[in-house]
Amino acid sequence: MAKRMLKILLISLLMYSCQKEKKQNPFEITNNRIGLLTNEIQVKELDSIYANDSIAKRATGGQFLNNANEIEVYEKGGVKLLVLEAQKESDPTSTIENIQIVDPRYKTASGLSSNGIFKDIKDHYKISKINNTLSTAVIFVDSIQAYFTIDKKELSKKFQSTTDIEITATDIPDAAKIKHFWISWEAAN
């Protein structure tokens, strides 16, 4: 009798777990996934993935430094969610190479989002390197395939007018705001 009850219990648990399949969080950032978008999705599949949202592809020409392979994703209400860059311009079979996380609802497991601060990065991730550019410090975190920019106005004056001085994690204040949050995916093929 006990074996039969155990079998019934196991079958019930199995059926319940199959029915209770975890729904993908549309704003979760994990390795090779941002919400419903994965590193294997092709440009031609974006319309079905973002069927409830709006997609705007930038046209070639007309603007200085225009990037024709950028695709902007907006909620129906007009809130910009993401900026996607295809690996190959005008190729519907191309996968996505770079994603700018615009909407702060997109978060990593540690809660890191586009409106986070440097302390959020430093406390939860190993910083791979920091580049000193004309106007920003670019922080690379290889473990999540991400890079972040912090405006050099957030740093001490000695960094603001030069790219020759190395910036280290100790040079960036904990409260420095993230200016841009990018995910960079290697080719899925």
Side-chain angles (χ1 to χ4, degrees):
M1 182 71 160
K3 286 184 181 181
R4 185 171 187 213
M5 289 298 284
L6 183 60
K7 284 182 183 179
I8 291 172
L9 179 62
L10 288 174
I11 291 171
S12 297
L13 282 173
L14 181 63
M15 289 174 53
Y16 178 76
S17 65
C18 289
Q19 292 174 354
K20 192 84 171 156
E21 187 176 307
K22 184 182 175 194
K23 186 177 179 185
Q24 178 63 43
N25 178 345
F27 296 105
E28 179 182 38
I29 299 172
T30 62
N31 198 27
N32 295 323
R33 177 180 288 280
I34 298 169
L36 305 174
L37 183 68
T38 70
N39 67 333
E40 296 175 351
I41 298 293
Q42 296 179 346
V43 171
K44 66 183 179 183
E45 299 173 284
L46 293 175
D47 287 332
S48 63
I49 292 170
Y50 295 109
N52 296 326
D53 300 309
S54 297
I55 296 175
K57 296 175 184 168
R58 293 202 179 162
T60 304
Q63 291 181 349
F64 182 68
L65 294 178
N66 188 21
N67 195 350
N69 68 340
E70 281 190 357
I71 302 161
E72 295 178 339
V73 180
Y74 295 86
E75 275 186 327
K76 286 291 185 202
V79 174
K80 187 188 273 188
L81 300 172
L82 304 165
V83 177
L84 313 175
E85 289 182 3
Q87 288 183 349
K88 298 174 189 163
E89 184 177 330
S90 303
D91 180 357
T93 63
S94 177
T95 56
I96 304 301
E97 183 173 40
N98 293 302
I99 304 99
Q100 181 183 4
I101 310 298
V102 179
D103 191 300
R105 291 177 289 177
Y106 286 95
K107 295 180 181 180
T108 64
S110 68
L112 181 59
S113 73
S114 61
N115 67 345
I117 58 174
F118 180 67
K119 183 173 177 33
D120 299 333
I121 301 168
K122 183 179 79 171
D123 286 355
H124 298 286
Y125 300 98
K126 180 181 181 236
I127 295 171
S128 307
K129 70 178 176 178
I130 300 174
N131 286 352
N132 183 351
T133 69
L134 287 173
S135 61
T136 63
V138 183
I139 298 115
F140 292 87
V141 177
D142 291 346
S143 65
I144 57 171
Q145 304 165 299
Y147 60 97
F148 306 86
T149 61
I150 292 182
D151 197 309
K152 284 172 71 172
K153 293 175 186 170
E154 302 260 1
L155 307 180
S156 74
K157 292 250 185 240
K158 74 178 183 178
F159 298 108
Q160 293 182 16
S161 60
T162 184
T163 59
D164 296 333
I165 303 172
E166 182 181 347
I167 299 173
T168 66
T170 57
D171 296 320
I172 303 172
D174 283 350
K177 295 176 186 158
I178 294 172
K179 183 175 182 177
H180 296 113
F181 178 177
W182 285 87
I183 300 288
S184 182
W185 286 335
E186 298 291 321
N189 304 339

